[in-house]
Amino acid sequence: MGEESAFRQEFPVTGGDFARAGKVSCEIKNLAKELGLSDRVVRRVAIASYEAEMNIIMYAREGRLNLSITPDRVRIIVEDSGPGIEDIELAMTEGYSTATPEMRELGFGAGMGLSNMKKNADIFEISTEVGRGTRLEITFLTNGQRA
Amino acid sequence: MTLAEIVKRLNLKVYAGEGGLARPVSGGYAGDLLSDVIAHSRKDQLWITLQIHPNVIAVAALKDLAAIVFVNGREPAPETAAQAEKERIPLCGTTLSAYELAGRAYALGLLEK
Ligand SMILES: Nc1ncnc2c1ncn2[C@@H]1O[C@H](COP(=O)(O)OP(=O)(O)OP(=O)(O)O)[C@@H](O)[C@H]1O
Ligand SMILES: [Mg+2]
């Protein structure tokens, strides 16, 4: 089965919408489970989706997670309109965070989101344009394995 | 060890998700930074925290944690309890600190399987 016959679904996320935080990643997790992906893949996809969703809520105006699944891989393309990231290397460093005091009070801002995504993915690509937005491409290889 | 046993032996209050009390628990993790808990907690663990806002429910659901225990007498916000019922995540509480609760849970033999 090629790209064209992939399972696809788009999940919009609104910047600043802390009330809905985690909703999209829970939906993606349940979907991945229903589609019969292994527990290990479901867990990794859920973690990366959550961190990507939270970064849109915390830093961007709006964005979306585009999920696509083929027999050998799960891919999430995350795009947002927002400030972008000035120094990607610094942003990827564990512990670096520009979260506000209000966000930190809620337990956000450990500076671990991007590295959690990278650690759980097989391929992690990030590109950004300052003043415009950020794009992530997160790929999980499944080798056709099902639970 | 089941959650019900832990609730009884540590004298925890149950705020929501009573339906999940029969669930087996395997070890625990204590932390208040959500991405840290995402990174280091494991399925079926007890999560010890002082964060009481609704975002904790998503973290517990994503990681398949057995339950959340709020320390220092903190009580879940109403919205947190409502979300917990929906996601079937048991919410418990204690007046103990995170340090004391973790120590007592450990002493009960609540270790990783
Ligand atoms: N989509 C984005 N748009 C703009 N800036 C971003 C975006 N994603 C991440 N950043 C920047 O990169 C930093 C590090 O992000 P990361 O997700 O690793 O940690 P965090 O969000 O600060 O904290 P945590 O994810 O642990 O709660 C952020 O503080 C922010 O400055
Ligand atoms: Mg983050």
Side-chain angles (χ1 to χ4, degrees), chain A residues 122-142:
Chain A
D122 290 299
I123 310 167
F124 178 81
E125 289 173 345
I126 177 166
S127 56
T128 181
E129 204 178 324
V130 174
R132 294 191 69 99
T134 301
R135 183 180 193 277
L136 311 175
E137 196 170 311
I138 315 170
T139 307
F140 311 84
L141 303 178
T142 57

Side-chain angles (χ1 to χ4, degrees), chain A residues 17-18 47 50 57 63-64 71 82-83 87 92 95-96 105 107 120 124-125 127 132 138 140 142 144:
Chain A
D17 190 1
F18 283 90
I47 292 174
Y50 175 81
I57 293 176
R64 67 215 68 80
D87 184 341
M92 294 289 309
Y96 174 82
E105 226 162 82
N120 282 283
F124 178 81
E125 289 173 345
S127 56
R132 294 191 69 99
I138 315 170
F140 311 84
T142 57

Side-chain angles (χ1 to χ4, degrees), chain B residues 3 7 11-21 47 49-52 56-57 67-86 88-96 101:
Chain B
L3 183 56
V7 163
N11 196 19
L12 304 180
K13 230 181 183 173
V14 179
Y15 296 109
E18 308 235 2
L21 286 178
W47 175 18
T49 187
L50 48 71
Q51 297 290 358
I52 52 167
V56 296
I57 305 302
I68 307 174
V69 187
F70 305 114
V71 295
N72 295 348
R74 287 165 68 106
E75 298 186 4
E79 174 62 12
T80 308
Q83 295 265 344
E85 290 295 348
K86 227 170 72 198
R88 285 191 280 263
I89 308 279
L91 299 185
C92 308
T94 176
T95 52
L96 299 175
L101 181 71

Side-chain angles (χ1 to χ4, degrees), chain A residues 3-145:
Chain A
E3 278 301 304
E4 62 287 346
S5 46
F7 171 92
R8 284 174 205 286
Q9 193 163 332
E10 177 171 293
F11 300 87
V13 179
T14 308
D17 190 1
F18 283 90
R20 279 185 53 81
K23 287 281 189 306
V24 158
S25 33
C26 278
E27 263 180 70
I28 290 177
K29 183 192 178 192
N30 293 335
L31 198 58
K33 255 192 205 162
E34 280 165 21
L35 290 171
L37 294 163
S38 71
D39 284 355
R40 178 167 180 272
V41 171
V42 170
R43 195 164 53 238
R44 294 162 74 216
V45 166
I47 292 174
S49 305
Y50 175 81
E51 298 292 5
E53 176 187 9
M54 285 319 309
N55 280 358
I56 298 175
I57 293 176
M58 288 165 73
Y59 307 112
R61 272 191 311 281
E62 59 88 29
R64 67 215 68 80
L65 274 64
N66 270 296
L67 175 71
S68 80
I69 304 179
T70 57
D72 53 349
R73 57 129 189 90
V74 177
R75 180 168 294 149
I76 304 167
I77 295 180
V78 187
E79 289 170 307
D80 71 53
S81 312
I85 300 173
E86 296 232 7
D87 184 341
I88 289 182
E89 203 180 317
L90 185 62
M92 294 289 309
T93 308
E94 261 189 36
Y96 174 82
S97 175
T98 60
T100 63
E102 291 77 16
M103 293 172 186
R104 287 171 200 265
E105 226 162 82
L106 296 175
F108 300 109
M112 292 177 63
L114 288 168
S115 68
N116 276 355
M117 290 183 228
K118 188 172 174 179
K119 273 187 202 152
N120 282 283
D122 290 299
I123 310 167
F124 178 81
E125 289 173 345
I126 177 166
S127 56
T128 181
E129 204 178 324
V130 174
R132 294 191 69 99
T134 301
R135 183 180 193 277
L136 311 175
E137 196 170 311
I138 315 170
T139 307
F140 311 84
L141 303 178
T142 57
N143 305 316
Q145 276 171 35

Side-chain angles (χ1 to χ4, degrees), chain B residues 11-63:
Chain B
N11 196 19
L12 304 180
K13 230 181 183 173
V14 179
Y15 296 109
E18 308 235 2
L21 286 178
R23 187 171 170 165
V25 182
S26 172
Y29 191 78
D32 303 323
L33 293 171
L34 305 188
S35 288
D36 170 64
V37 176
I38 288 266
H40 296 119
S41 67
R42 280 191 295 274
K43 186 173 183 304
D44 299 326
Q45 283 184 334
L46 199 66
W47 175 18
I48 300 170
T49 187
L50 48 71
Q51 297 290 358
I52 52 167
H53 56 85
N55 293 315
V56 296
I57 305 302
V59 173
L62 285 169
K63 295 287 292 189

